[in-house]
Amino acid sequence: MYEAVFNRKSVRHYKMEPLPQELFKNLRKFEQGLRPLWGKLRYSVELFNAMNGETRIKGLFKVKAPYYLVLFSEAGEYAMANAGYLMEQIVLYLTSKGIGTCYQGSAKIPAMDGPEGMEPMMVLAFGYADGKLYRDSFQAKRLPLKELCAFKEDSTEETRLMMQAARMAPSAMNGQPWRFMVYQNRIHVFAKKESFRFSSKADFLGFDIGVMLYHISLAAEENWRDTEFSRMEQMAAREFKNNKYFLTVLLV
């Protein structure tokens, strides 16, 4: 899954072919072990098979795929960030198994199709790719670290690897709405203030940040570090010209 961070690409063309039942069985097992960013919110992952009409997903799909996953969640302050953190685990798992994926931000599904008291957060298209499944990391259009990070201390190799993983995270319209203040034992995460001005991006800002935070967690784990997430009030109280404080990743 860590390698998938650097070579995954959004797949927009799929073969309308069934996936093996063994994959779905293993996927359900994997879902049972998902790690939430915010554990107080209930969530549910529902599978829809577009090949046999088991879907009421509406909207202008950017892609036509044989299967869709929908993540439902209780409402809450960090619901979208939690959804992004959870869904990216599924995306990287599927990628590691040779399955293409693509977030469908414009897709809609009736809330009645999910568990009671939960809202649909995100739709994910997936299936066998009709074309390339992977791409080299240098082909990804991402800003360099020097434009994303302010390194406040001499950075270690492991912190730079974590930030490279964060840099590779996908986001709505490739907006890369995050900025970082990096210390050796903590990373302050910010959202670009301009991201709040455009409704289409603002709607998915929390989701995008959740996706990116999982990349940091996975890279930390790869380097034998644990992560904890905390909102530091002294940081939240400060005024920053171009960015708004979101939370802090503690490296333990």
Side-chain angles (χ1 to χ4, degrees), residues 22-222:
E22 188 68 16
L23 181 131
F24 291 108
K25 184 165 62 174
N26 291 335
L27 177 60
R28 285 307 187 193
K29 289 181 180 178
F30 179 78
E31 289 170 6
Q32 293 172 8
L34 291 176
R35 295 176 294 172
L37 172 68
W38 188 247
K40 297 181 180 180
L41 295 171
R42 292 187 304 118
Y43 68 89
S44 177
V45 180
E46 304 295 330
L47 171 67
F48 294 88
N49 186 341
M51 296 183 65
N52 59 16
E54 293 180 5
T55 175
R56 296 174 61 196
I57 300 173
K58 305 298 181 182
L60 298 175
F61 290 137
K62 292 184 178 179
V63 302
K64 179 181 178 181
Y67 302 97
Y68 298 90
L69 276 176
V70 182
L71 192 142
F72 293 86
S73 172
E74 289 182 308
E77 182 180 3
Y78 288 102
M80 285 298 284
N82 192 54
Y85 194 85
L86 291 166
M87 189 70 97
E88 187 67 1
Q89 294 173 56
I90 296 173
V91 164
L92 295 177
Y93 173 80
L94 289 171
T95 302
S96 72
K97 301 301 180 183
I99 305 300
T101 60
C102 188
Y103 286 117
Q104 298 292 280
S106 63
K108 304 296 181 183
I109 183 169
M112 68 181 68
D113 285 1
E116 184 177 356
M118 297 189 191
E119 303 173 0
M121 298 284 108
M122 179 59 70
V123 177
L124 179 75
F126 71 102
Y128 287 130
D130 187 6
K132 291 184 178 181
L133 174 61
Y134 305 110
R135 52 106 174 93
D136 291 326
S137 59
F138 69 84
Q139 294 177 309
K141 296 180 180 179
R142 300 290 191 272
L143 294 172
L145 282 187
K146 65 181 180 180
E147 294 188 32
L148 297 174
C149 303
F151 289 96
K152 295 299 184 178
E153 298 174 344
D154 290 338
S155 59
T156 63
E157 182 179 359
E158 64 182 17
T159 56
R160 283 196 168 268
L161 285 173
M162 291 178 208
M163 301 323 300
Q164 286 289 0
R167 172 179 171 267
M168 295 302 298
S171 56
M173 301 173 66
N174 199 28
Q176 302 169 74
W178 39 69
R179 295 294 183 268
F180 309 97
M181 190 180 295
V182 184
Y183 294 82
Q184 290 187 5
N185 64 346
R186 65 195 184 280
I187 303 166
H188 299 306
V189 178
F190 299 83
K192 290 179 61 180
K193 285 184 177 179
E194 67 178 38
S195 299
F196 295 95
R197 301 175 191 169
F198 305 98
S199 59
S200 61
K201 289 184 179 181
D203 290 345
F204 300 107
L205 177 62
F207 188 90
D208 289 345
I209 289 180
V211 169
M212 176 274 298
L213 289 174
Y214 182 67
H215 280 212
I216 292 179
S217 291
L218 187 60
E221 184 179 302
E222 187 74 9

Side-chain angles (χ1 to χ4, degrees), residues 226-237:
D226 290 327
T227 52
E228 294 178 359
F229 302 99
S230 175
R231 185 169 173 82
M232 296 186 171
E233 295 308 319
Q234 66 269 32
M235 291 296 296

